[in-house]
């Protein structure tokens, strides 16, 4: 970053004169869906708050991807921890979005603030997994993301990743600048690539009100050093214009390297050879409690046919057998299957089978499919295939249970949250149960419309 937020910056009168002298093309907004990528909470309001309000007023579906929680905005603060600041900034974003686009589908990715560059491959996989079904569902979607020339590293990487994924998937892309208006001048603008979005007074009012909800950024956290305002009034003046300016994207760098394929079966085989109790399935209270949460989340008292993907040593399988007439449990590792078969010897309604997913997909239809702690081992293309095959195997009234570890792991091609983002963006699935903790995320998906347990029993 070659500027500081506290700098006086370029006065808005300079920009107003320059913009008035240009003959920019109006952005083509004949779209049927809008996908917004924000590097930090408040980027969405600053960059395209008016656009979002305008599209929401037209009833256009809107998805917002928030890459980081912005917990690094006040590194010198002695009054708030990064964890508490992250939570506060999420709340501020939700409050702002309720004014601009209340029905928007918001996804927080939780990538560390200032570390998007180090997580570019993960972000590439997440966006790819989300945008492919988004593209399939909508005829004229538009993606907007930070401009690569904004001189903020997180903005640059976010813009590069979004741009390259959009080109791979085939989605139109526009970029919004933020800090350019602060550090730059008219000669820094690629005017030939500029497109304007005219805003109505209601659009501008909603944008102002939404930005005002980001109190951690537009006001000091406290009078103490390190708690200063991040967005002073001169900076905010750039975002109260009668139009927002976006740029058509020109690639300036190679695409970020994608995750290096799905984790190979050989890795798991070696892992099982080194550990008698892999991942502490039998010994850790964490695992025992998580299994109990998973079983308690199942909406149906009993299932006819259950499919467990990646059964490991059979502990979840053991529980599923008590709730299902038949269970097919698959895994790619012979050592895991041997332990599972020994554990459930004599249980007649369980079948174990070796399968290397997504290729060796079991035939048949299932009213319960369990995807627990394996989705993040697939790269984006394989995860897309897994989800497509789940959709092909799930009965009309069936349930998909997904449960995944949320902390970063070096050999995971995507994050646990990323797996759930890919599932939630499927047009054929809706999340009917959601249990979120710092350590794991559990959701039950069903085909729309998904009725709750109380609704099905006539209680609601």
């Amino acid at each position: 970053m070659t500027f500081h937020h506290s700098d006086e910056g370029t006065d808005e009168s300079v920009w107003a004169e320059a913009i008035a002298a240009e003959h920019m093309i109006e952005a083509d907004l004949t779209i049927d869906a809008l996908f917004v990528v924000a590097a930090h909470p408040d980027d969405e309001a600053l960059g395209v708050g008016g656009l979002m309000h305008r599209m929401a007023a037209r009833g256009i579906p809107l998805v917002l991807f928030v890459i980081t929680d912005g917990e690094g905005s006040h590194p010198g603060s002695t009054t708030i921890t990064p964890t508490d600041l992250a939570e506060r900034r999420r709340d501020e974003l939700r409050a702002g979005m309720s004014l601009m686009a209340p029905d928007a589908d918001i996804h927080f990715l939780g990538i560390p603030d200032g570390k998007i560059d180090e997580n570019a491959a993960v972000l590439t996989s997440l966006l790819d997994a989300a945008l492919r079904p988004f593209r399939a569902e909508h005829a004229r979607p538009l993606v907007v993301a930070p401009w690569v020339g904004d001189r903020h590293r997180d903005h640059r990487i976010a813009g590069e990743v979004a741009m390259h994924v959009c080109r791979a998937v085939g989605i139109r892309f526009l970029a919004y600048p933020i800090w350019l208006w602060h550090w730059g001048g008219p000669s820094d603008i690629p005017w030939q690539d500029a497109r304007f979005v005219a805003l109505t007074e209601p659009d501008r009012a909603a944008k102002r009100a939404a930005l005002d909800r980001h109190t951690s950024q537009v006001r000091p956290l406290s009078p103490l050093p390190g708690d200063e305002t991040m967005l002073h009034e001169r900076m905010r003046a750039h975002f109260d214009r009668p139009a927002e300016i976006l740029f058509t994207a020109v690639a300036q760098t190679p695409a970020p390297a994608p995750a290096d394929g799905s984790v190979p079966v050989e890795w798991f085989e070696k892992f099982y050879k080194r550990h008698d109790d892999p991942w502490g399935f039998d010994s850790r209270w964490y695992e025992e409690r998580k299994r109990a949460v998973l079983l308690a989340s199942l909406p149906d008292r009993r299932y006819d046919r259950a499919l467990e993907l990646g059964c490991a040593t059979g502990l979840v399988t053991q529980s599923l057998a008590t709730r299902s007439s038949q269970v097919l449990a698959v895994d790619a590792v012979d050592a895991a299957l041997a332990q599972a078969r020994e554990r459930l010897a004599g249980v007649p309604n369980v079948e174990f089978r070796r399968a290397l997913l997504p290729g060796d997909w079991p035939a048949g239809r299932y009213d319960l499919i369990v995807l627990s702690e394996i989705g993040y081992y697939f790269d984006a293309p394989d995860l897309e295939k897994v989800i497509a095959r789940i959709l092909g195997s799930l009965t009309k009234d069936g349930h998909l249970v997904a449960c995944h570890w949320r902390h970063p792991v070096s050999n995971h091609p995507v994050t646990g949250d990323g797996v759930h983002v890919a599932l939630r963006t499927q047009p054929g699935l809706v999340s009917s149960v959601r249990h979120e903790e710092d350590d794991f995320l559990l959701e039950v998906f069903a085909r729309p419309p998904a009725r709750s347990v109380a609704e099905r029993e006539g209680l609601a």
Side-chain angles (χ1 to χ4, degrees), residues 171-318:
I171 299 183
R172 193 160 64 93
F173 175 87
L174 291 172
Y176 58 86
I178 292 177
W179 288 105
L180 162 68
W181 310 118
H182 181 63
W183 57 258
S187 63
D188 296 302
I189 295 283
W191 293 108
Q192 71 280 5
D193 300 325
R195 302 292 184 268
F196 75 90
V197 176
L199 303 181
T200 65
E201 183 51 40
D203 295 333
R204 297 173 69 187
K207 180 173 180 173
R208 288 186 209 109
L211 186 55
D212 199 49
R213 296 302 187 274
H214 290 273
T215 56
S216 68
Q217 307 302 299
V218 301
R219 298 181 183 85
L221 295 176
S222 81
L224 297 175
D227 284 353
E228 296 84 2
T229 300
M230 292 294 110
L231 299 172
H232 55 63
E233 289 187 8
R234 283 175 62 92
M235 173 62 173
R236 290 177 66 183
H238 304 314
F239 304 99
D240 196 23
R241 298 169 182 160
E244 290 170 340
I245 297 175
L246 310 177
F247 299 138
T248 58
V250 178
Q252 297 178 352
T253 60
D260 191 19
S262 298
V263 177
V265 67
E266 291 79 13
W267 184 90
F268 296 97
E269 290 171 341
K270 292 177 181 177
F271 190 85
Y272 275 93
K273 286 182 180 179
R274 295 196 306 268
H275 301 279
D276 294 330
D277 181 17
W279 294 283
F281 292 144
D282 285 284
S283 57
R284 287 180 175 152
W285 165 241
Y286 168 82
E287 293 290 343
E288 181 182 346
R289 174 180 172 272
K290 185 178 63 175
R291 288 192 297 272
V293 172
L294 188 151
L295 268 292
S297 299
L298 297 180
D300 288 351
R301 187 191 303 272
R302 190 158 185 85
Y303 292 88
D304 183 28
R305 299 189 70 209
L307 171 62
E308 184 186 4
L309 305 172
C311 65
T313 60
L315 275 161
V316 173
T317 320
Q318 192 172 40

Side-chain angles (χ1 to χ4, degrees), residues 109-129:
L109 302 190
I111 289 176
D113 192 5
K115 300 291 185 181
I116 297 181
D117 197 355
E118 292 87 335
N119 290 276
V122 172
L123 180 59
T124 301
S125 297
L126 292 175
L127 275 177
D128 186 274

Side-chain angles (χ1 to χ4, degrees), residues 56-194:
R58 283 173 44 187
I60 299 296
L62 195 154
V63 176
L64 172 61
F65 252 41
V66 188
I67 301 174
T68 80
D69 292 333
E71 70 276 13
S73 69
H74 290 76
S77 176
T78 59
T79 64
I80 192 168
T81 67
T83 299
D84 289 342
L85 182 56
E87 184 176 354
R88 175 171 171 177
R89 296 200 68 182
R90 285 193 181 200
D91 289 342
E92 292 171 349
L93 181 141
R94 293 187 188 100
M97 288 299 295
S98 72
L99 301 173
M100 295 184 298
D103 295 326
D105 189 10
I106 303 172
H107 302 280
F108 294 99
L109 302 190
I111 289 176
D113 192 5
K115 300 291 185 181
I116 297 181
D117 197 355
E118 292 87 335
N119 290 276
V122 172
L123 180 59
T124 301
S125 297
L126 292 175
L127 275 177
D128 186 274
L131 286 177
R132 287 185 186 277
F134 189 78
R135 177 68 181 90
E137 185 180 0
H138 301 287
R140 293 183 61 83
L142 172 66
V143 173
V144 293
W147 182 48
V148 298
D150 218 23
R151 293 193 185 174
H152 187 302
R153 187 176 67 163
D154 276 354
H155 292 195
R156 175 176 62 82
I157 301 302
E160 288 173 353
V161 169
M163 182 191 340
H164 290 296
V165 172
C166 284
R167 286 178 174 168
V169 174
I171 299 183
R172 193 160 64 93
F173 175 87
L174 291 172
Y176 58 86
I178 292 177
W179 288 105
L180 162 68
W181 310 118
H182 181 63
W183 57 258
S187 63
D188 296 302
I189 295 283
W191 293 108
Q192 71 280 5
D193 300 325

Side-chain angles (χ1 to χ4, degrees), residues 309-337:
L309 305 172
C311 65
T313 60
L315 275 161
V316 173
T317 320
Q318 192 172 40
S319 299
L320 293 175
T322 67
R323 299 277 297 272
S324 310
S325 299
Q326 294 177 283
V327 180
L328 173 59
V330 302
D331 203 282
V333 181
D334 289 328
L337 290 168

